[in-house]
Amino acid sequence: MKIPFSPPYINQAVISEVTDSLESGWITTGPKVKKLEDLVCEHIGVPNTLCVNSATSGLMLALKWYDIGPGDEVIIPAYTYAATALAVIHVGATPVMVDVNSDFNISVSGIEKAITKKTKAIMPVDIAGWPCDYDEIQALVKSKKSLFIANSDKQHQLNRIITIADAAHAIGAKYKNQYVGKRTSDITVFSFHAVKNITTAEGGAVSLNLPEPFNNQDEYNFLRCFSLNGQTKDAFTKSKAGGWKYDIIYPGMKINMPDVLAAIGVAQLPDYFSHILEKRESIYTYYQDFFKNKGWALTPLYKNNDKQSSCHLYALRIKDATEEQRDAIIENISKDGVAVNVHFKPLPLLSLFKNMGYNMADYPMAYTNFKSEISLPIYPQLTEEELQYIVKTVEKAVESCLC
């Protein structure tokens, strides 16, 4: 049996929506992008959302919106995909890495120790779709207001460190009975990459939940303009009769999402919240039920009184396994036709960040989590037979390598 790791969910509704976009004669940013933005707002409960070409671009846009650049520091977890740090680097700021907890997410006590007068933003990451400790992070931000030094109009308006959530994995996750993005952080960035719970092939969404005195609609308008080279009219508006006149008012970026990709998300998003997420949850709990009685298995968190995972990844850890043993287990699983993965190599293990002076020894929990982690397939197309094959294959591989 051959089981891929994370194929996209493409049904007839998706094909029909994309075909409609192609047949419309309009494939770049236009009505389907706006429809997708509205669907995110409707389902998550946020006032405004801007769709862009990737979550990485969305993070960069959020940082630029808050005028973060050279000389500024942004606190991020050491355990995340490289894009979190690269977004900070691309705006000229310095990523300040913090160790994580055993649940993979950033340590609030670590954040507190890392805050300086140069700190302009905290970017928590909901690894695997498990929400961070948002209330504690927001309380910490408020308690450190006296350290904050504002250097721009927007920074003076907010007058504190901004929280920008890298929720690439977390659309549909819940924090205190509300979806991540609604009152969890100032700005939340979701990913619609091909392997995510909802996809547009490539893409992301920047959801705004800014407090007063900000007007979220006004800031959405600014961000939309900034995502289109700072141009006052998008191509769709310019194409209307007599609508060609435009201006460039900001040194913007070209990071807009095209309609032909948004169409995939327009078809998927309602289905995701109506039944696909529930299917992912059923697979997650199937794994939980199987592995919870295995003495060598450390199962990931799924739900507690405050949080519920989006079930983006099933991050199984093999108790007391070394990195070499974990790799041998993966090799054996792969030989039997099951594609698995590892999420993620902590940033200090990557050459770019090693060469910048980050040391893995400073982030012991990040390494502990990484060295024994194996991500199992979790997507709605999986059948009961395939799930049985996956768990038995994993069990056989682990016990042949450790016993």
Side-chain angles (χ1 to χ4, degrees):
M1 189 177 291
K2 298 290 184 183
I3 300 176
F5 179 67
S6 185
Y9 180 76
I10 305 296
N11 61 6
Q12 188 55 50
V14 170
I15 294 168
S16 297
E17 196 72 48
V18 172
T19 301
D20 181 68
S21 182
L22 293 170
E23 290 178 343
S24 75
W26 192 264
I27 59 174
T28 190
T29 305
K32 290 198 186 294
V33 170
K34 187 64 176 71
K35 185 174 182 180
L36 180 57
E37 292 174 349
D38 290 343
L39 283 169
V40 173
C41 291
E42 175 189 338
H43 284 84
I44 299 298
V46 292
N48 294 93
T49 293
L50 176 76
C51 286
V52 290
N53 65 352
S54 72
T56 309
S57 296
L59 293 171
M60 290 172 59
L61 183 60
L63 292 166
K64 282 181 172 289
W65 173 86
Y66 204 51
D67 300 305
I68 293 173
D72 296 329
E73 294 178 349
V74 178
I75 295 173
I76 65 170
Y79 198 110
T80 182
Y81 183 58
T84 312
L86 292 176
V88 178
I89 292 169
H90 286 321
V91 302
T94 301
V96 175
M97 295 183 194
V98 166
D99 206 3
V100 296
N101 300 317
S102 60
D103 67 355
F104 294 90
N105 286 345
I106 192 166
S107 162
V108 177
S109 61
I111 295 173
E112 184 171 15
K113 293 173 185 175
I115 291 174
T116 72
K117 291 184 177 181
K118 294 182 179 180
T119 306
K120 291 294 186 292
I122 298 168
M123 288 173 54
V125 181
D126 303 313
I127 295 291
W130 180 249
C132 292
D133 296 318
Y134 283 109
D135 281 359
E136 290 84 351
I137 292 170
Q138 295 290 30
L140 178 59
V141 163
K142 291 176 183 176
S143 74
K144 296 292 184 178
K145 284 185 72 171
S146 61
L147 279 177
F148 186 74
I149 300 173
N151 295 319
S152 72
D153 289 343
K154 286 187 173 63
Q155 291 179 13
H156 278 290
Q157 280 183 278
L158 189 59
N159 196 32
R160 61 167 170 79
I161 297 166
I162 191 171
T163 55
I164 302 170
D166 180 344
H169 295 178
I171 194 161
K174 286 187 175 179
Y175 182 78
K176 298 196 172 177
N177 297 315
Q178 295 181 324
Y179 287 118
V180 164
K182 184 175 183 180
R183 291 196 286 276
T184 47
S185 56
D186 300 309
I187 298 175
T188 301
V189 180
F190 300 109
S191 174
F192 296 147
H193 179 264
V195 300
K196 298 302 190 293
N197 289 19
I198 298 170
T199 185
T200 57
E202 295 283 356
V206 182
S207 290
L208 304 179
N209 195 31
L210 295 161
E212 294 181 347
F214 293 103
N215 180 299
N216 284 279
Q217 181 63 50
D218 290 345
E219 301 310 327
Y220 164 84
N221 294 339
F222 172 90
L223 290 170
R224 187 169 185 270
C225 180
F226 206 98
S227 73
L228 287 157
N229 288 322
Q231 183 173 286
T232 53
K233 290 182 180 179
D234 62 26
F236 186 75
T237 305
K238 284 171 60 183
S239 71
K240 300 299 182 182
W244 68 270
K245 289 186 178 181
Y246 67 93
D247 196 6
I248 302 292
I249 54 177
Y250 311 116
M253 301 186 291
K254 185 66 167 64
I255 58 172
N256 56 301
M257 177 187 285
D259 264 26
V260 71
L261 297 187
I264 304 173
V266 166
Q268 277 194 3
L269 195 144
D271 285 351
Y272 175 69
F273 282 96
S274 69
H275 63 273
I276 295 174
L277 178 55
E278 185 178 352
K279 175 64 174 175
R280 297 184 78 98
E281 291 170 350
S282 71
I283 295 168
Y284 204 98
T285 55
Y286 180 94
Y287 286 149
Q288 295 287 71
D289 290 342
F290 182 86
F291 291 114
K292 68 183 180 183
N293 296 318
K294 305 298 176 185
W296 44 260
L298 295 172
T299 57
L301 295 171
Y302 164 53
K303 184 191 291 188
N304 63 22
N305 290 336
D306 292 334
K307 303 178 183 181
Q308 182 169 334
S309 177
S310 69
C311 301
H312 173 59
L313 299 172
Y314 190 83
L316 179 69
R317 282 169 291 171
I318 311 304
K319 188 177 180 181
D320 299 326
T322 65
E323 187 177 346
E324 293 73 23
Q325 287 172 322
R326 187 274 315 274
D327 291 349
I329 292 166
I330 289 175
E331 185 175 348
N332 283 353
I333 294 170
S334 300
K335 284 178 180 177
D336 283 337
V338 177
V340 294
N341 213 319
V342 174
H343 291 87
F344 296 98
K345 285 184 79 170
L347 299 179
L349 288 180
L350 302 172
S351 296
L352 171 66
F353 302 106
K354 279 186 194 175
N355 295 338
M356 292 173 68
Y358 297 96
N359 186 341
M360 192 67 252
D362 295 330
Y363 314 97
M365 184 53 71
Y367 183 73
T368 296
N369 287 341
F370 157 74
K371 72 182 179 67
S372 62
E373 194 273 341
I374 303 173
S375 300
L376 306 186
I378 178 168
Y379 48 89
Q381 303 96 306
L382 286 169
T383 65
E384 180 79 16
E385 181 184 8
E386 288 171 327
L387 288 172
Q388 291 175 5
Y389 184 76
I390 290 168
V391 296
K392 291 298 184 183
T393 298
V394 172
E395 179 183 41
K396 184 178 76 170
V398 171
E399 293 182 354
S400 66
C401 288
L402 298 186
C403 299

